[in-house]
Amino acid sequence: MSLFQRTKHAPIEPLSASAHNQAPVPLVDAYDPNRKSTVGLDLMTYEQLEEFGQELDAVRQRVLDNLGQEDADYIRRVIRVQKWFEVLGRIGIFLPIFPPAFIAGVILLSLSKIIENMEIGHNVMHGQYDWMNDPMIDGKRYEWDNVAPAQDWKHGHNFIHHTYTNIHGMDRDIGYGLLRIDDGQPWYPNHRFNLPLAFLLMLFFEWGVMYHGIELDEYLGGKMSKEEFIARKKRAYVKVRRQLFKDYVVYPVIACAAIPFVGWWAPLAVLAANFTANLVRNIWTFLVIFCGHFPADVETFDEEDAQNETRGQWYLRQLLGSANISGSKPFHVMTGNLSHQIEHHLFPDIPARRYREVKVDVQRLVEKYGLRYNEGRLSKQLMSVARQLAVYSKKPSDPYKVGKSPESKALRRAKREAKQAAQAA
């Protein structure tokens, strides 16, 4: 019997995700292990929080035990669709002499970039499909179509943001260091321009994410070594150069072949199409992210309250610190299922396509414990975010909330000294 014959009928080992675990861990205070977190005590008792955590752990494990070939087929099917959209979109934008084909090309290319960033890139880099052992969708290797390097994005997003969600001074995604979106943030003069700055961030969102990942503020604050900062800048430079070269040099140069048939402006049309597709993707991503994180009633927390939280308290913090966007099934796919932002924050390493079914269990527990579930249409959540930005752009009357006031500086200094004293003890 040949080797081919021996392996031809060998049983294929079924896919299993039961042991898959890349979930963030609760916040632990290494300096005071006896301290108890106060998160959620205004809503539940410690016993209820423990039960709440156990019930969500059970939901998580049930989904993991049920993951398999259907989920693998789904993500591979999405990748095929995305690739076809990109191919057809690229063909379309090379036909500017035929406006319907050109416009269709821009639309397909935009959809391709949205799907690649949201439903594929974001979710794959969360490790949601690592249990498949497929190198093409391995979260540790995947590099998305975006100017932000995957390595730095994963550190800032998967680790920092999903571990310290909405904790002041720890979650750098609260306002992205640019906007004042919460009452707990100190107000600075640039916050007067909250709305126009948010609009600019929306247009160039991928560039904002890239700059955010460099973490210049951490370096200037002495929290990052010079070597690490230089390494981050180098990765960003390499990735930016690659993305710009691909979209704004390679494809326009290829379009030069169409000049005899279209005219001298063929390369410019292709360049404009690529720019438009990136712009559409940036706007859509911004809307989904901001409407899932910053509408009214989304809660933020102080570090001292979250220290030594239980698993149940960590789950509750994710629930209270996120918001969902209601919509149709195609809408959810186009958001990478991040329209189920609450479920994503509860279970970030579970395939996002499962959030719709998980939502039923989450809402059951929300009702059982009398909690709040923040959900609304895209228009409702967007208006809420805009109102938040407008409200928090105004200078507070309380001097302790004005970042450059003597009172605010003294308060921050006192907090730093208290933390240093606790660490030295």
Side-chain angles (χ1 to χ4, degrees), residues 14 22 43 54 60 75 77 95 104 121 125 128 132 158 167 194 211 257 282 317-318 330 351 365 392 395 418:
Q22 294 191 28
L43 301 171
Q54 291 173 354
R60 169 187 166 78
I75 190 61
R77 185 166 61 248
L95 299 171
M125 290 192 297
Q128 293 181 3
M132 289 171 54
N158 294 4
I167 296 178
N194 253 358
Y211 179 77
N282 287 341
R317 181 160 57 81
Q318 307 306 314
L365 292 174
Y392 293 120
K395 184 178 181 179

Side-chain angles (χ1 to χ4, degrees), residues 63-184:
V63 175
L64 289 175
D65 292 342
N66 186 249
L67 294 179
Q69 193 61 49
E70 184 178 341
D71 301 275
D73 292 342
Y74 170 81
I75 190 61
R76 287 172 177 146
R77 185 166 61 248
V78 170
I79 291 172
R80 285 196 300 272
V81 170
Q82 182 267 324
K83 293 299 183 187
W84 272 111
F85 278 4
E86 182 176 9
V87 170
L88 294 174
R90 295 289 181 193
I91 294 173
I93 65 174
F94 275 90
L95 299 171
I97 198 170
F98 185 47
F102 182 76
I103 293 171
V106 173
I107 293 172
L108 287 172
L109 186 58
S110 301
L111 291 174
S112 166
K113 285 179 173 286
I114 287 172
I115 294 171
E116 192 281 330
N117 266 209
M118 307 291 280
E119 183 72 331
I120 302 172
H122 172 277
N123 295 335
V124 166
M125 290 192 297
H126 259 295
Q128 293 181 3
Y129 295 95
D130 283 6
W131 50 272
M132 289 171 54
N133 297 315
D134 183 340
M136 296 296 293
I137 43 178
D138 182 346
K140 295 181 288 296
R141 306 182 193 181
Y142 194 89
E143 186 64 64
W144 57 352
D145 179 28
N146 194 298
V147 295
Q151 179 179 338
D152 298 321
W153 179 86
K154 284 185 288 188
H155 175 264
H157 183 80
N158 294 4
F159 174 63
I160 300 295
H161 174 58
H162 277 274
T163 300
Y164 310 126
T165 307
N166 286 20
I167 296 178
H168 286 289
M170 302 192 78
D171 183 3
R172 300 176 65 253
D173 284 13
I174 301 177
Y176 291 90
L178 178 68
L179 309 170
R180 186 170 187 253
I181 197 73
D182 180 80
D183 189 57

Side-chain angles (χ1 to χ4, degrees), residues 339-353:
S339 44
H340 297 110
Q341 191 67 227
I342 292 173
E343 289 71 26
H344 174 58
H345 268 273
L346 292 172
F347 310 113
D349 63 334
I350 286 179
R353 69 180 295 264

Side-chain angles (χ1 to χ4, degrees), residues 141-282:
R141 306 182 193 181
Y142 194 89
E143 186 64 64
W144 57 352
D145 179 28
N146 194 298
V147 295
Q151 179 179 338
D152 298 321
W153 179 86
K154 284 185 288 188
H155 175 264
H157 183 80
N158 294 4
F159 174 63
I160 300 295
H161 174 58
H162 277 274
T163 300
Y164 310 126
T165 307
N166 286 20
I167 296 178
H168 286 289
M170 302 192 78
D171 183 3
R172 300 176 65 253
D173 284 13
I174 301 177
Y176 291 90
L178 178 68
L179 309 170
R180 186 170 187 253
I181 197 73
D182 180 80
D183 189 57
Q185 292 174 271
W187 181 91
Y188 292 95
N190 63 285
H191 291 141
R192 289 191 178 96
F193 308 103
N194 253 358
L195 285 169
L197 285 174
F199 181 77
L200 288 174
L201 179 61
M202 177 179 69
L203 298 181
F204 303 101
F205 192 60
E206 65 174 323
W207 295 90
V209 172
M210 179 273 293
Y211 179 77
H212 191 57
I214 294 176
E215 299 189 15
L216 174 62
D217 55 329
E218 297 291 294
Y219 171 64
L220 295 177
K223 299 178 182 178
M224 181 191 297
S225 68
K226 184 176 182 179
E227 292 74 20
E228 172 62 18
F229 179 65
I230 291 173
R232 286 174 182 251
K233 285 202 303 180
K234 183 178 180 180
R235 285 193 293 269
Y237 172 73
V238 170
K239 188 66 189 297
V240 166
R241 184 177 59 186
R242 184 187 309 163
Q243 289 297 114
L244 292 179
F245 186 71
K246 173 177 69 73
D247 278 344
Y248 303 123
V249 177
V250 173
Y251 287 112
V253 166
I254 294 174
C256 289
I259 290 178
F261 311 99
V262 176
W264 63 267
W265 51 275
L268 294 180
V270 170
L271 189 149
N274 282 322
F275 178 81
T276 301
N278 285 325
L279 181 66
V280 170
R281 187 266 319 278
N282 287 341

